[in-house]
Amino acid sequence: MPEMTLKSPFEFGERVIIDGDKSLVARVVQLAFKSHIAECEVGYVHCGELKKAWIENWRLSPAHS
C-alpha cells in the first residue's frame, strides 16, 4: 500500500466558527480521517452545558480572537 499523508486544515485545540456564524465559536477537540475526508469534533458551551459535535471541515473556519 502506498504511503499517504493525511492533513486537516485545523489543529487540535484551534478555535473555529461554524457555518460562518461568528456567534458559533467552538474548539477542535478531536480529528478523524474517513476515507479521504477529515472531520473535526468540536466542543462548545450552550446554555451553560458543554456540547460536542462532529462537523465536516468545509463548515468550519478559523475564529480570530
Side-chain angles (χ1 to χ4, degrees):
M1 178 177 249
E3 186 176 314
M4 184 183 328
T5 302
L6 301 174
K7 288 188 168 191
S8 170
F10 305 101
E11 295 182 19
F12 179 78
E14 184 174 352
R15 293 178 69 235
V16 293
I17 60 173
I18 302 168
D19 292 334
D21 184 341
K22 292 181 181 179
S23 71
L24 295 175
V25 179
R27 189 170 301 274
V28 176
V29 296
Q30 196 165 185
L31 299 168
F33 296 94
K34 300 176 181 178
S35 182
H36 63 284
I37 299 170
E39 290 184 339
C40 294
E41 183 180 30
V42 297
Y44 57 96
V45 176
H46 178 69
C47 295
E49 292 184 34
L50 177 62
K51 307 285 186 179
K52 290 185 179 179
W54 284 100
I55 306 288
E56 297 86 0
N57 281 347
W58 63 268
R59 295 181 56 196
L60 301 174
S61 55
H64 303 287
S65 306

